[in-house]
């Protein structure tokens, strides 16, 4: 597919996916959402890609939310459909076999924060800003934000952020556990790529199963989660990667994983 609003660059098995709609602070209209869905789908199937870093073009914004101009014209039925499409995208990212790191370089508001929350973890620039301004527009977060934020930081902090519509600093987002680590704007992307590279050196099936165990387990009882974890652990012992990983340790050499 030809992408109008995305920049996609793959180096050493790591893809940097950049939302590039600077004139509207990279906000998500239907076309951007469709492109992102298509890109993530393709990247998940691409054997040459081991990890993905998602970021925004320019210095000002990661993604400043869903496109308010487009949303302002929607009927109730269309808005429901728009939310479902956004949710399909965030669920797709969450269910990808490959790790996805959000590198939040500026405003991550509304649907932009929801996009970041769909990723496996968030790194951010010290200048980034976070928030759910939706209530100030007379609506609520609609791309999974109420669900994912409350699960990540607990209902109390999520309530304060969502009810107030307040925009918080990167430092506060870090203190609240939304962001794993903060970097200078210059260091953000290199550090995200470095971590992606570190992950890419591990067993790809093991990373995919670890992601599945954590993501699926959050929707299960602890007992079912333990059972699921043990099943995935067992399945990995039928792979070449397990033999290679343990063999390399015992032979004191670096493992060379093939993802089979
Ligand atoms: N949708 C559409 N256009 C947007 C946008 C958005 N979410 N955010 C910014 N833009 C546009 C602005 O309209 C402006 O365009 P023009 O130059 O054509 O006027 C351009 O981007 C630059 O923005 P500003 O001039 O506003 O820049 P600023 O530095 O003064 O302010 C900002 C930056 C605080 C991020 C401000 O742009 C802002 O508040 N944006 C809206 C943020 C927001 O409310 N996001 C949530 C949307 S609702 C949502 O996402 C629902 C959901 O959960 C699915």
């Amino acid at each position: 597919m030809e992408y109008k609003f995305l920049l996609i660059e793959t180096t050493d098995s790591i893809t940097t996916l950049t939302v590039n709609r600077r004139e509207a602070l990279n906000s998500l209209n239907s076309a951007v959402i469709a492109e992102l869905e298509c890109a993530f789908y393709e990247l998940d199937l691409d054997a040459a890609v081991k990890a993905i870093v998602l970021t925004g073009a320019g210095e000002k914004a990661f993604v400043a939310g869903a496109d308010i101009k487009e949303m302002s014209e929607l009927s109730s039925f269309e808005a429901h459909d728009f939310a479902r499409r956004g949710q399909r995208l965030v669920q797709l990212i969450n269910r990808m076999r490959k790790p996805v790191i959000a590198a939040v370089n500026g405003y991550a508001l509304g649907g932009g924060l929801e996009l970041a929350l769909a990723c496996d973890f968030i790194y951010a620039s010290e200048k980034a800003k976070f928030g759910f301004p939706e209530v100030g527009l007379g609506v609520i977060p609609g791309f999974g934000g109420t669900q994912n934020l409350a699960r990540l930081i607990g209902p109390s902090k999520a309530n304060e952020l969502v009810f107030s519509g307040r925009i918080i600093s990167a430092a506060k987002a870090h203190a609240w556990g939304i962001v794993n680590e903060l970097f200078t704007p210059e260091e953000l992307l290199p550090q995200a790529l470095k971590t992606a590279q570190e992950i890419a050196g591990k067993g790809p099936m093991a990373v995919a199963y670890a992601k599945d165990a954590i993501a699926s387990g959050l929707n299960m009882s602890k007992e079912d989660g333990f059972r699921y974890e043990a099943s995935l652990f067992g399945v990995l012992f039928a792979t070449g990667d397990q033999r290679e990983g343990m063999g390399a340790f015992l032979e004191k050499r670096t493992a060379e994983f093939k993802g089979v």
Side-chain angles (χ1 to χ4, degrees), residues 21-25 27 60 64-69 71 82 107 109-112 114 132-134 137 139-143 167:
R21 191 178 172 235
R22 294 183 197 215
E23 69 282 5
L25 299 188
S27 56
K60 201 164 168 184
D67 187 314
I68 300 171
K69 199 166 169 207
M71 276 188 302
F82 185 65
Y107 285 110
L109 303 177
E114 292 172 307
F132 279 124
E134 281 90 342
L137 299 166
V139 297
I140 62 170
F143 295 171
I167 293 179

Side-chain angles (χ1 to χ4, degrees), residues 99-202:
V100 186
I101 303 172
V104 175
N105 51 307
Y107 285 110
L109 303 177
L113 178 50
E114 292 172 307
L115 195 59
L117 289 170
C119 299
D120 297 310
F121 53 89
I122 302 175
Y123 281 177
S125 146
E126 291 155 354
K127 292 192 176 158
K129 298 216 180 302
F130 297 80
F132 279 124
E134 281 90 342
V135 290
L137 299 166
V139 297
I140 62 170
F143 295 171
T146 59
Q147 306 307 301
N148 284 335
L149 186 68
R151 279 170 173 77
L152 182 67
I153 64 174
S156 197
K157 293 194 213 76
N159 289 341
E160 186 180 340
L161 199 68
V162 174
F163 299 173
S164 69
R166 199 182 285 152
I167 293 179
I168 61 171
S169 66
K172 183 148 189 170
H174 182 234
W176 275 14
I178 296 172
V179 171
N180 273 15
E181 210 163 336
L182 296 179
F183 300 97
T184 62
E186 299 73 36
E187 274 300 293
L188 173 64
L189 208 50
Q191 291 294 337
L193 291 168
K194 194 173 160 204
T195 299
Q197 202 68 62
E198 190 182 339
I199 296 170
K202 303 294 188 286

